[in-house]
Amino acid sequence: MKNNTQKKDKGIKAFNTIYTIGIVFAFLKLIEYLQWTFKLIRKWDVPEEPFFSKVNLINRNIEISVTSYLVFALAYIIVFGFIILGLYQLNKTTKLFVENKIFQEEISLAFKKAGKSFLVFTYGTLIIDIVFLAWARTSSKFIDLLSTELLVFLILGYLMFFLSDIFKKGTNIQSENDLTI
């Protein structure tokens, strides 16, 4: 029994380490997006650094207004915030695991919220990139918008829904067993 507890503690510590690294990277990326946006607002001109869309506008003679860039930048920032929200929900599940609240509805809901957050980020980013692609009227291919990052968050989002369903069924089975006893 003690060996299982040690393994569980190692798993929780490993997740907390990965969670901390993920949160730090997410906040650093968010700060980078905010800095770009503040430069745009302050100078009311497009900064030298490339815009953070996957739509490639480098070496193309495309005119996009500063206001349009601002709208797209704010949309990206809002959608990117859902990564942080999803990571927060995942951290919530580990806290519940530590408290031995394994088959509780809270865990199922936290996994579901994390999944929704990751999917909002994935589909939101993809939709913004498609609209930006259309707005810029480039000849870029739609397939260029799909990145490893989007695919990972798409898989992660649906995995969270799967885990939510598993824990919900576990909660139902446990409550049936409690009624039987």
Side-chain angles (χ1 to χ4, degrees):
M1 185 70 182
K2 187 176 182 180
N3 196 18
N4 272 349
T5 304
Q6 288 175 335
K7 284 182 184 178
K8 180 178 160 186
D9 289 343
K10 282 184 182 179
I12 297 294
K13 286 179 184 176
F15 175 81
N16 285 336
T17 302
I18 292 169
Y19 168 77
T20 303
I21 291 168
I23 285 289
V24 167
F25 278 118
F27 272 110
L28 288 175
K29 198 61 149 166
L30 192 60
I31 289 169
E32 183 182 316
Y33 289 175
L34 287 168
Q35 285 175 334
W36 190 94
T37 306
F38 287 139
K39 284 180 187 177
L40 178 77
I41 293 168
R42 190 173 43 243
K43 295 179 183 176
W44 204 249
D45 194 19
V46 179
E48 303 252 337
E49 298 87 14
F51 185 58
F52 33 85
S53 169
K54 288 171 193 57
V55 177
N56 185 4
L57 297 179
I58 297 172
N59 298 327
R60 296 182 189 218
N61 194 13
I62 297 169
E63 291 292 320
I64 297 176
S65 71
V66 173
T67 306
S68 298
Y69 267 115
L70 181 60
V71 169
F72 285 113
L74 293 174
Y76 272 108
I77 290 167
I78 289 167
V79 168
F80 193 82
F82 281 94
I83 290 177
I84 296 169
L85 185 61
L87 289 173
Y88 168 76
Q89 291 298 328
L90 279 180
N91 190 44
K92 203 170 165 183
T93 62
T94 55
K95 288 179 181 176
L96 292 168
F97 281 135
V98 167
E99 296 169 3
N100 276 334
K101 296 181 178 179
I102 296 172
F103 290 111
Q104 302 284 324
E105 196 168 328
E106 289 174 85
I107 285 194
S108 175
L109 290 174
F111 275 125
K112 193 172 209 165
K113 287 178 184 176
K116 284 180 182 179
S117 296
F118 293 143
L119 291 177
V120 166
F121 165 75
T122 303
Y123 289 118
T125 301
L126 190 59
I127 289 168
I128 293 167
D129 280 339
I130 290 169
V131 170
F132 190 63
L133 185 71
W135 190 270
R137 294 186 196 110
T138 69
S139 58
S140 295
K141 298 174 189 154
F142 170 75
I143 197 74
D144 294 340
L145 301 179
L146 298 176
S147 66
T148 306
E149 173 186 274
L150 284 184
L151 293 175
V152 166
F153 279 103
L154 181 69
I155 292 168
L156 191 57
Y158 284 114
L159 178 65
M160 295 300 109
F161 279 125
F162 178 69
L163 288 173
S164 174
D165 288 345
I166 288 173
F167 280 94
K168 189 173 187 174
K169 286 182 183 181
T171 302
N172 291 340
I173 290 170
Q174 184 176 17
S175 65
E176 287 174 9
N177 285 343
D178 289 347
L179 289 174
T180 305
I181 297 172

